[in-house]
Amino acid sequence: MATLADSFLADLDELSDNEADVIEEEDVDAGNMEEDVDGEMADIENLNYDDLDSVSKLQKTQRYVDIMQKVEDALQKGSDISNLGMVLEDDPEYQLIVDCNALSVDIENEIIIIHNFIRDKYRLKFPELESLVHHPIDYARVVKKIGNEMDLTLVDLEGLLPSAIIMVVSVTASTTSGKPLPEEILDKTIDACDRALTLDAAKKKVLDFVESRMGYIAPNLSTIVGSAVAAKLMGTAGGLAALAKMPACNVQLLGAKKKNLAGFSTATSQFRVGYIEQTEIFQSTPPSLRMRACRLLASKSTLAARVDSTRGDPSGNNGRALREEIRKKIEKWQEPPPAKQPKPLPVPDSEPKKKRGGRRLRKMKERYAITDMRKLANRMQFGVPEESSLGDGLGEGYGMLGQAGSGKLRVSVGQSKLAAKVAKKFKEKQYGSSGASSGLTSSLAFTPVQGIELSNPQAHAHQLGSGTQSTYFSETGTFSKIKRT
Amino acid sequence: MSYVLRTLRKKREVDTIIRDTIDKVLVLRFGRSSDPVCLHLDDALCKSAREVSKFANVVLVDIDSDEIQVYASYFDITFIPSTVFFFNAHHMKMDSGTADHTKWVGAFHKKQDFIDVVEAIYRGAMKGKLIVSCPLPSERIPKYQLLYRDV
């Protein structure tokens, strides 16, 4: 036990020793840094971001320097299309272009890292700026212009940003919770901004070079969308092969701007188009057809890129054919619809009328169906002359209506087969009262034959109903036969 | 109006068209294109020709041509314009309250009247009748006096 406790104590000592070592290291590093060390810098987190060089190493790499040099030379040399005979891969210029593409992607990543760096530093001064200005290069320019200034009315942001955003920035700056930066941090931030701007300029140069060689690298693609846009697409995609592998929907969105600022209405925001928006075909289509044109352009340019990546058509004929196709399609969309001609009448009686059925129709038809009263009046008993309205066989005959022995004196309104509620009520009445529904009716009735007749409640109500109604399943029927055993 | 509807001038053409119109009512208008009443009728015919096209065929016959005089005397055409109806090469008669059932004399008041008449003829013909009664009320039927020769 003692040894265990001792070992624990020893562990504790070790820990504290380690901490001491770490703090020492920090101080050493801090001492080695170019900039001065402040109390705030002792934080471990800031260790990584203090030194700009530890973050952005690209500009120091040999590769970068080499390629930039070559690009400068090539740009000065002017366009040179004498290498058509050579196989593409052996051509040093093609290799340079491939490298340029990779480099431009790297530069972009680098810019993003530097942007993060600037943002973290400037957060102390003006935290809201990062949410107002999204684009890294714009952010860098704005930070450089504002510097350590607290009052934004003294700073002129014209030309750097759209006026609406300048206004928002000024307003936010007046209520910001930031404090002015210390001198060293400010210097570091401005340095980082400069670096970002140089990287951006380098990227532009690279893109210009690629664009000038575009007709040689990807003739079909540049015939359709133009060399500038083709260069940008290739640069963003990271090479012709990468561009060819992309599906057309992605190509459509290459270079699309990100979301709008909060608070600005999205009603006027452009639909999702990227670099394709800058092609002349797109610009020359009427606004209503632009979405369709954009999709068409993206798909055809993807096809052209695929042809180019395999060097299938160095002369660019494929591209011209595709361009012609696109033009024709857009024209076809714009032509007016064919004039509407009046339809001739259909042949009489050729289309049979649509008969409807169903519960609703049956209920409607019930209103006009033959009532029980009429049915009774239509029938006669055998051998018994019927009564008539004028007597002696003149006038309308009454048939079985009101005849003695029919079990019915007053022909009540027959319940419809579909009225479930009425059927239930009717059943109740049968078993309940002796047939009289209201208190005013009496069970006595006068018939011309026998004088007074009492109604027999036990008589079948469905004596007349329908001839096919079976009494076996009747809900109101009685036992048909009772055997005494 | 004759640029929309066919005008026939030869006996052979009339024969072929009567023979070849199958399962459709054939409307033959006998008249001349300079007559005002005829023009009125032709206008109604032109405008409804397309609508009735699924069950009727409308054709104009020029009564001034020589070969057509045979038909003019056969059908006893004296009033211009006269319209004769056929179905599957059978001559269809229509009782419109006038003296002559074998043809329709005069113009129609409206396009719809013509369509109604053609439909009545079609229904009757499909049932197998050779004479049908006119669906129009008597105000819409053009009246004329039939003069009997030598009587």
Side-chain angles (χ1 to χ4, degrees):
Chain A
M1 287 304 164
T3 48
L4 198 59
D6 285 340
S7 66
F8 284 156
L9 280 173
D11 285 340
L12 274 178
D13 288 338
E14 264 185 355
L15 278 175
S16 57
D17 281 341
N18 283 347
E19 276 181 19
D21 288 338
V22 164
I23 292 176
E24 264 191 15
E25 272 176 22
E26 257 189 57
D27 287 341
V28 165
D29 278 340
N32 284 347
M33 275 191 272
E34 307 169 281
E35 294 79 30
D36 295 8
V37 177
D38 245 18
E40 310 150 75
M41 296 309 156
D43 204 351
I44 298 184
E45 268 183 312
N46 277 350
L47 173 64
N48 296 330
Y49 292 110
D50 253 351
D51 185 5
L52 184 60
D53 285 338
S54 69
V55 180
S56 101
K57 301 181 197 63
L58 183 65
Q59 279 184 309
K60 308 273 187 274
T61 54
Q62 189 56 34
R63 171 169 153 255
Y64 175 81
V65 174
D66 274 346
I67 297 182
M68 284 314 296
Q69 190 59 41
K70 280 194 214 160
V71 165
E72 303 265 336
D73 292 340
L75 274 175
Q76 280 174 359
K77 220 173 28 174
S79 68
D80 180 13
I81 328 176
S82 59
N83 326 350
L84 273 175
M86 263 211 269
V87 178
L88 183 61
E89 278 70 38
D90 297 342
D91 191 7
E93 271 218 354
Y94 180 72
Q95 199 50 45
L96 179 60
I97 289 165
V98 170
D99 290 335
C100 280
N101 274 328
L103 186 68
S104 73
V105 176
D106 286 337
I107 291 180
E108 269 204 48
N109 292 340
E110 195 69 23
I111 290 180
I112 291 177
I113 296 176
I114 296 184
H115 172 63
N116 288 344
F117 178 83
I118 303 173
R119 198 185 55 199
D120 291 335
K121 289 280 175 287
Y122 210 64
R123 207 174 264 167
L124 304 163
K125 162 84 173 57
F126 195 171
E128 296 90 357
L129 187 63
E130 60 173 332
S131 58
L132 295 174
V133 183
H134 283 125
H135 197 244
I137 302 300
D138 288 340
Y139 189 83
R141 286 205 192 103
V142 169
V143 163
K144 200 163 163 191
K145 204 69 187 283
I146 297 180
N148 226 355
E149 196 64 58
M150 276 318 284
D151 187 3
L152 240 80
T153 53
L154 303 170
V155 178
D156 179 24
L157 293 171
E158 290 295 313
L160 294 179
L161 295 170
S163 355
I165 304 191
I166 295 178
M167 190 185 66
V168 176
V169 164
S170 333
V171 166
T172 331
S174 55
T175 58
T176 188
S177 57
K179 294 171 284 289
L181 293 171
E183 196 59 40
E184 320 77 32
I185 305 181
L186 181 67
D187 284 339
K188 269 186 272 181
T189 320
I190 302 292
D191 190 29
C193 293
D194 285 330
R195 197 170 290 191
L197 293 171
T198 40
L199 277 176
D200 188 51
K203 184 166 147 219
K204 269 208 189 62
K205 238 187 262 176
V206 164
L207 272 184
D208 279 341
F209 167 66
V210 173
E211 183 186 325
S212 67
R213 294 287 182 275
M214 211 50 193
Y216 168 60
I217 310 167
N220 296 300
L221 184 58
S222 25
T223 328
I224 298 182
V225 294
S227 32
V229 173
K232 286 193 192 132
L233 285 174
M234 239 176 79
T236 325
L240 193 53
L243 183 64
K245 283 197 193 121
M246 276 187 188
C249 51
N250 284 8
V251 170
Q252 182 182 343
L253 292 177
L254 278 178
K257 292 198 187 68
K258 293 299 182 285
K259 57 177 167 55
N260 293 348
L261 288 175
F264 287 104
S265 141
T266 50
T268 56
S269 72
Q270 282 294 344
F271 28 64
R272 310 177 115 262
V273 197
Y275 288 131
I276 304 269
E277 195 180 2
Q278 299 160 13
T279 60
E280 55 167 294
I281 298 181
F282 186 85
Q283 293 293 331
S284 57
T285 54
S288 52
L289 294 174
R290 283 211 171 150
M291 259 333 269
R292 295 170 77 178
C294 162
R295 248 177 274 138
L296 181 64
L297 266 175
S299 53
K300 296 304 172 196
S301 53
T302 315
L303 285 177
R306 287 178 192 165
V307 167
D308 284 331
S309 71
T310 56
R311 261 342 240 196
D313 185 7
S315 61
N317 279 333
N318 202 313
R320 277 186 281 273
L322 285 173
R323 192 193 173 97
E324 192 56 35
E325 205 185 305
I326 293 176
R327 196 185 58 80
K328 268 205 213 115
K329 273 207 183 144
I330 296 184
E331 252 186 58
K332 191 142 194 292
W333 292 340
Q334 288 174 326
E335 63 182 29
K340 214 176 129 174
Q341 288 211 303
K343 227 172 109 166
L345 296 168
V347 178
D349 288 340
S350 67
E351 287 125 18
K353 280 193 281 193
K354 287 174 234 181
K355 293 254 176 251
R356 293 177 158 197
R359 193 170 179 277
R360 190 190 286 194
L361 204 77
R362 271 181 278 137
K363 284 201 94 167
M364 280 268 300
K365 286 193 131 181
E366 246 179 38
R367 291 161 52 192
Y368 303 99
I370 297 196
T371 63
D372 286 345
M373 197 155 162
R374 183 54 68 181
K375 276 192 206 152
L376 272 179
N378 284 343
R379 300 173 190 178
M380 276 177 63
Q381 256 189 328
F382 182 75
V384 172
E386 63 174 356
E387 302 133 21
S388 48
S389 54
L390 298 176
D392 267 354
L394 304 167
E396 268 201 33
Y398 284 153
M400 297 266 290
L401 252 190
Q403 291 246 345
S406 70
K408 275 200 158 204
L409 292 173
R410 287 187 186 77
V411 186
S412 55
V413 173
Q415 87 272 32
S416 82
K417 295 192 187 130
L418 299 172
K421 289 190 204 153
V422 179
K424 251 197 245 166
K425 250 193 265 175
F426 187 75
K427 263 192 280 174
E428 262 179 26
K429 265 193 264 168
Q430 277 276 308
Y431 295 126
S433 65
S434 59
S437 48
S438 83
L440 296 175
T441 58
S442 75
S443 326
L444 302 174
F446 291 90
T447 61
V449 176
Q450 277 186 358
I452 300 176
E453 187 173 338
L454 289 170
S455 81
N456 183 3
Q458 247 60 50
H460 323 282
H462 49 262
Q463 181 187 40
L464 99 99
S466 63
T468 57
Q469 197 171 34
S470 117
T471 53
Y472 195 81
F473 295 106
S474 157
E475 291 155 10
T476 58
T478 56
F479 291 114
S480 55
K481 200 157 118 185
I482 300 176
K483 233 183 196 172
R484 210 177 285 242
T485 51
Chain B
M1 303 305 162
S2 48
Y3 52 87
V4 181
L5 301 168
R6 273 184 65 190
T7 311
L8 306 180
R9 295 197 169 82
K10 295 212 188 352
K11 182 174 180 302
R12 212 157 37 90
E13 290 172 356
V14 180
D15 286 342
T16 42
I17 206 163
I18 293 179
R19 261 204 316 266
D20 293 340
T21 309
I22 303 178
D23 281 348
K24 273 189 176 188
V25 177
L26 178 64
V27 180
L28 282 184
R29 183 273 298 171
F30 287 87
R32 54 180 78 96
S33 44
S34 45
D35 185 43
V37 184
C38 212
L39 281 175
H40 188 51
L41 172 66
D42 284 353
D43 184 45
L45 288 179
C46 281
K47 288 187 181 161
S48 40
R50 196 186 143 77
E51 290 198 17
V52 201
S53 57
K54 286 204 170 168
F55 53 93
N57 205 358
V58 183
V59 166
L60 310 179
V61 179
D62 189 6
I63 213 174
D64 290 329
S65 139
D66 304 324
E67 303 183 25
I68 302 296
Q69 298 310 312
V70 183
Y71 279 115
S73 58
Y74 176 75
F75 287 120
D76 233 351
I77 293 174
T78 42
F79 286 101
I80 303 293
S82 296
T83 315
V84 189
F85 298 98
F86 289 90
F87 188 84
N88 278 350
H90 288 288
H91 175 51
M92 300 295 296
K93 300 199 243 292
M94 173 182 271
D95 176 12
S96 33
T98 58
D100 191 352
H101 296 176
T102 57
K103 55 177 113 39
W104 174 275
V105 173
F108 292 94
H109 281 242
K110 279 203 209 169
K111 216 172 73 176
Q112 190 55 43
D113 291 346
F114 169 67
I115 298 177
D116 289 341
V117 164
V118 173
E119 187 183 331
I121 295 210
Y122 183 81
R123 280 190 203 264
M126 290 302 269
K127 290 213 176 89
K129 299 187 182 173
L130 285 176
I131 180 161
V132 300
S133 60
C134 184
L136 303 178
S138 62
E139 318 69 74
R140 304 282 194 99
I141 301 177
K143 298 280 181 284
Y144 51 92
Q145 275 280 356
L146 202 54
L147 303 165
Y148 295 97
R149 228 199 305 207
D150 300 341
V151 170

